[in-house]
Amino acid sequence: MVQDSETTRLIFGLKLRQLRLDLGLSSLEVSKRAGLSPSYMAELERGKKYPKVDKMFDLARALGTDYDTLVSTRLSKKLEPLATLIHSRVLNELPLEWLGLDATDLLELLAEAPAKVSAFINTLIEISRSYGMRVESFLFSVLRTYQEMHDNYFPELEAAAEQFRASLDWPAKEPLHPDQLTQVLTNRFGYQVDLFTDGQYPAFATVRSAFLPHQQNRLLINAALTNQQRAFTLARELGYRVLDLNDRPLISSVREAESFEHVLNNFRASYFAGAMLMPCEPMVADLKHLFARDTYDAAEWLALIQRYDVTPEMFMHRLMGLLATQFGLNDSFFLRLNHRVGDVDYLLTKEMHFARLHSPHTTIGEHYCRRWVLVGALEELEQQQRTGVWTGEPVMRAQVSDYFESPDIYFVLSIAQPSPPQMGVNSSVSVGIAVTDQLRQVMRFLNDPNLKHRVVNQTCERCGVPDCLERVARPVVYQREKQTELIQQLYRTL
């Protein structure tokens, strides 16, 4: 994060370098004219130091300008986007240290070609405005990168959850009930836990929980949540306490963040909750049992989720991390798709990719392939709800997806169910794993002839599958790309 003093040094360094370049002078020439050492001059331009008043006058004289111009924080028009970036909340809040950078490193990169980089940054700012991107979008993207770098598996959080559960003499193979978790929060940490309805707090209708530290650690939990969601909320609150995470968000289900610390600590407490509810050792043993079967059976997968009494999303996140670290299957992705009953659109609200950016990913302004198994699961759930035959159980489907005109083939596991407290909204969560020889060795049921296989694509607009019955939009992008290829082929023959 950039402090005010750093901002001043960064802008001064940019201005100093640009003034020197405008005069066609080298750094060594300016340092000689001003009576400064070359190393000190380099530190000034990199934003490492800020000159005292007497040296500022020497620099102004060496550059043929006056003191007031040199100390002004205004930059030339072509560098103004860089100043905007430096002053913006984006740079102030981005955790550069998590990306292996500090502000001066960034300045050094920008200063290599400031005018060109400035134009590039201006373009990025315009794109972010066009698509309504906020600082939070960047912060959550950094968190996702952090998770991907570690295969979403963190041994220190695993150990903390295991030790805390053991300290309470809770058997690792037994699911945790909300009442157990509430009792620990109340007796050990002095919490007051209350359920609320949207009638009591209408503005909280879509909020899952709110923590009120000024009311003696009062935790409000939305009464519309399922038992599984309530258990996760309580376990996450325990995570904040056990891990001593005081810099934290106070309202859940609101995608706003005051700082990256809020985003990171919310993730750490959430990971702790997942490890508490689904301990690693028994979970891996259960997965090995499923993988060793010759046939795929959705009922057995649902039974496993019910055994731990967790939400499908919690299970899928846990599954992805364990596949990568315990089974060596890290060429995978996680997706969550939301769908409001009766609408024609599907919204991809969360994604995570291990090893690379996989074919199914967020695409703006296009229609996701209706052959995706996560779309099919949502369609089936909605049909059951409309006809009154839905039993309350999640809809679980599996599919081997072969991407059209691509070498990518994935085994995809999807689960769809309603998404309380949002009324009338269903969501499906999926884990996809690249089909390789290693995957076939781990998951024997991949050879099950009854396992569904389908040719899919990213979006209808990018798909050339002929006579697709599920198509909802013309393949305009695909046709444009093919036409460009034909033009280039013809040109090469002339």
Side-chain angles (χ1 to χ4, degrees), residues 269-329:
S270 298
Y271 188 98
F272 176 92
M276 275 270 292
L277 297 169
M278 294 169 283
C280 179
E281 187 174 337
M283 183 87 167
V284 170
D286 288 334
L287 290 173
K288 286 181 177 178
H289 173 73
L290 281 181
F291 295 164
R293 293 186 59 83
D294 293 325
T295 57
Y296 164 76
D297 187 345
E300 289 197 346
W301 283 86
L302 285 174
L304 177 59
I305 297 173
Q306 292 164 355
R307 187 180 310 160
Y308 290 95
D309 202 19
V310 294
T311 67
E313 183 163 349
M314 292 165 55
F315 177 82
M316 290 299 206
H317 270 292
R318 190 67 166 150
L319 173 64
M320 196 174 178
L322 295 179
L323 285 174
T325 58
Q326 308 300 314
F327 296 91
L329 301 171

Side-chain angles (χ1 to χ4, degrees), residues 351-368:
E351 62 182 312
M352 185 162 54
H353 300 263
F354 289 177
R356 57 193 169 104
L357 181 63
H358 299 89
S359 294
H361 56 78
T362 300
T363 305
I364 303 297
E366 297 181 25
H367 299 79
Y368 295 117

Side-chain angles (χ1 to χ4, degrees), residues 355-405:
R356 57 193 169 104
L357 181 63
H358 299 89
S359 294
H361 56 78
T362 300
T363 305
I364 303 297
E366 297 181 25
H367 299 79
Y368 295 117
C369 178
R370 275 12 183 201
R371 294 184 175 193
W372 281 2
V373 67
L374 59 163
V375 173
L378 282 170
E379 290 177 339
E380 184 171 340
L381 173 60
E382 182 174 354
Q383 178 63 20
Q384 291 182 10
Q385 291 169 329
R386 286 182 180 277
T387 57
V389 300
W390 184 56
T391 63
E393 294 293 319
V395 173
M396 187 165 199
R397 295 293 175 264
Q399 176 177 298
V400 176
S401 297
D402 189 340
Y403 273 75
F404 181 69
E405 295 185 347

